[in-house]
Amino acid sequence: MKLYIMKREALEMLKANLPTIYGKYYTEKTNHWISDIYGENPFIEFNDVPEFNLAELNSDLTPGEIDLNNCKILYEKLLFLSESQASDERLWAGLTHSTFYDYMRKRWGYGYGKKPKSAEKEAGAIQTRFFYRYTGRSGLYRNTLSKCWWVGHNTYDPNNNQNHFENLDIIGSNDLNSKINEFFYNFSFSSNPDVMTAIIDALRQFKKDGRHILVREHIRPAMSYLNAVGGSVVIDCLEKDEITRIFSDAVDAIMQGDIPTLNFEKNISVEEEDTDYSVNEDIGAVDPSDVPKVTLGCKVIICNRDGETKTYKYDLINGTLPKAVEVFTDCKVGDVIEMMGKEWKVEDLIF
């Protein structure tokens, strides 16, 4: 099986023209139309691997079970990828438009019964699923194939010879997209494997005790609490057992109707499991003028050249906008602002 990356020029050309070419994803059973539009072969051969198939779509599997299986398949079959290679949009755009083009069309119903919506909505959905909508973590965990590789990467245990993906099985397929959003996208500290292992240890104990915890009711506020703790101490420096205890205690408190001491704003809601949680149907996301601006209620994710990442809630407190977040007014993704004597780039907005 040959794997291809997409040429940068072809990638940019397709993304720029999605509002006018999105119909091709519905009408064309093969990817030959890309060469016709681009004028030459848009792909470069990247690697040759043993043949493999992604999770069966024509089955009784739920969307969450399909994605969970694909997390295992893609990471195990593409285990050789470096983090740098797996961060490259050209790789995933190449795979979604070549080797797995028909699979992607079936997965999202293009040409298989799904009815097109407005050009703006279709362009936004296709950009998210087949390309990277924005840079950084947003692209990694929202592209249909990329998110599966990265979730597999962050849960794979090479030392567990009985089941390398036991951690992923503990997370489970139920409401998987919401869990991906909470565990891997919203909070950068979870990219530390020790932190993620500590959280999964807590989930394992809850499962062993027969206690059913839900994403919106328990996991989301507990992760926010852990993030708030990170404002006082460096999470990465805590012992694994201590992180497990903090997370477990937060969930226990929430279950009992208590509010953890360091309560933090709840995260955004995500789409239901049978849709792509990453697609905000109200944003076209192709024309630069359509890139969303900071607005009340959204979260602003910023990063600097030192690799530091911070998240701010842009909202009123007691009817007043805090001075600390006024700097984000009218900012868009990609804008650079100055805070705390450093330059910070607006990496993403979460609505």
Side-chain angles (χ1 to χ4, degrees):
M1 174 188 288
K2 294 187 183 299
L3 305 181
Y4 299 91
I5 65 172
M6 182 175 284
K7 295 176 182 177
R8 174 60 63 185
E9 296 81 3
L11 185 153
E12 297 298 343
M13 182 274 295
L14 288 177
K15 290 173 70 172
N17 289 282
L18 279 176
T20 57
I21 66 173
Y22 72 87
K24 293 286 188 179
Y25 291 85
Y26 283 90
T27 62
E28 303 302 314
K29 295 182 179 180
T30 72
N31 64 355
H32 297 162
W33 63 271
I34 303 175
S35 297
D36 295 338
I37 291 177
Y38 181 55
E40 61 180 79
N41 184 0
F43 304 110
I44 300 172
E45 185 175 336
F46 170 67
N47 209 323
D48 199 345
V49 300
E51 195 80 20
F52 69 90
N53 295 313
L54 295 180
E56 178 60 49
L57 297 175
N58 299 322
S59 66
D60 294 330
L61 295 178
T62 66
E65 290 170 335
I66 289 171
D67 281 347
L68 186 139
N69 286 340
N70 281 338
C71 290
K72 298 177 180 180
I73 294 169
L74 277 169
Y75 187 69
E76 203 161 45
K77 299 302 182 182
L78 305 182
L79 189 63
F80 60 86
L81 291 176
S82 67
E83 290 190 352
S84 176
Q85 290 171 326
S87 300
D88 194 331
E89 182 183 12
R90 295 174 302 165
L91 170 65
W92 303 111
L95 294 182
T96 57
H97 288 87
S98 60
T99 310
F100 299 111
Y101 175 73
D102 187 52
Y103 186 90
M104 288 289 294
R105 291 182 72 244
K106 288 180 181 177
R107 173 68 176 86
W108 296 112
Y110 297 121
Y112 290 87
K114 180 178 181 290
K115 299 296 183 182
K117 298 181 180 179
S118 69
E120 184 178 63
K121 292 178 179 179
E122 293 297 331
I126 290 170
Q127 184 170 357
T128 297
R129 295 163 177 169
F130 286 77
F131 301 94
Y132 283 179
R133 192 168 199 159
Y134 301 119
T135 58
R137 295 165 66 83
S138 175
L140 303 185
Y141 289 105
R142 293 181 171 182
N143 173 284
T144 299
L145 301 183
S146 171
K147 74 176 180 183
C148 290
W149 189 93
W150 279 97
V151 170
H153 176 69
N154 285 320
T155 56
Y156 183 86
D157 183 356
N159 298 316
N160 187 339
N161 293 323
Q162 290 188 330
N163 181 4
H164 292 310
F165 292 103
E166 181 184 354
N167 289 338
L168 181 56
D169 290 336
I170 292 296
I171 292 175
S173 63
N174 185 42
D175 207 5
L176 181 60
N177 280 332
S178 296
K179 292 173 182 174
I180 291 174
N181 201 52
E182 298 305 324
F183 287 137
F184 304 107
Y185 173 57
N186 274 349
F187 304 102
S188 59
F189 60 74
S190 60
S191 61
N192 181 323
D194 292 333
V195 174
M196 196 63 234
T197 298
I199 294 171
I200 290 174
D201 282 349
L203 298 179
R204 181 182 287 105
Q205 188 60 49
F206 283 120
K207 186 174 183 179
K208 182 178 179 181
D209 294 342
R211 302 172 67 188
H212 184 56
I213 63 174
L214 304 173
V215 177
R216 292 166 178 79
E217 288 80 357
H218 308 124
I219 293 176
R220 182 172 299 159
M223 289 293 287
S224 292
Y225 173 72
L226 193 57
N227 185 60
V229 171
S232 303
V233 297
V234 180
I235 294 292
D236 302 62
C237 294
L238 294 177
E239 294 292 331
K240 183 168 71 72
D241 290 346
E242 180 67 8
I243 298 172
T244 300
R245 184 192 64 77
I246 293 171
F247 183 83
S248 297
D249 287 351
V251 173
D252 283 334
I254 294 162
M255 283 183 163
Q256 295 168 16
D258 296 331
I259 300 176
T261 306
L262 292 173
N263 193 34
F264 196 68
E265 292 287 345
K266 287 187 177 182
N267 295 322
I268 57 161
S269 296
V270 292
E271 302 296 331
E272 295 303 319
E273 187 181 37
D274 60 348
T275 63
D276 186 359
Y277 74 97
S278 60
V279 177
N280 181 341
E281 297 286 11
D282 294 326
I283 301 174
V286 175
D287 189 326
S289 64
D290 288 334
V291 175
K293 287 185 177 181
V294 172
T295 187
L296 289 178
C298 77
K299 286 186 176 181
V300 184
I301 299 176
I302 61 174
C303 64
N304 62 26
R305 293 180 179 177
D306 297 326
E308 297 174 280
T309 300
K310 294 183 180 294
T311 301
Y312 290 85
K313 183 72 176 288
Y314 187 85
D315 211 346
L316 303 177
I317 296 180
N318 297 325
T320 304
L321 187 67
K323 289 188 177 297
V325 299
E326 286 181 352
V327 67
F328 301 123
T329 302
D330 290 330
C331 282
K332 302 187 298 294
V333 171
D335 285 352
V336 176
I337 53 97
E338 186 170 340
M339 288 181 65
M340 299 171 286
K342 296 182 179 181
E343 286 191 345
W344 299 78
K345 180 181 178 182
V346 179
E347 185 73 18
D348 201 1
L349 303 178
I350 301 178
F351 295 88

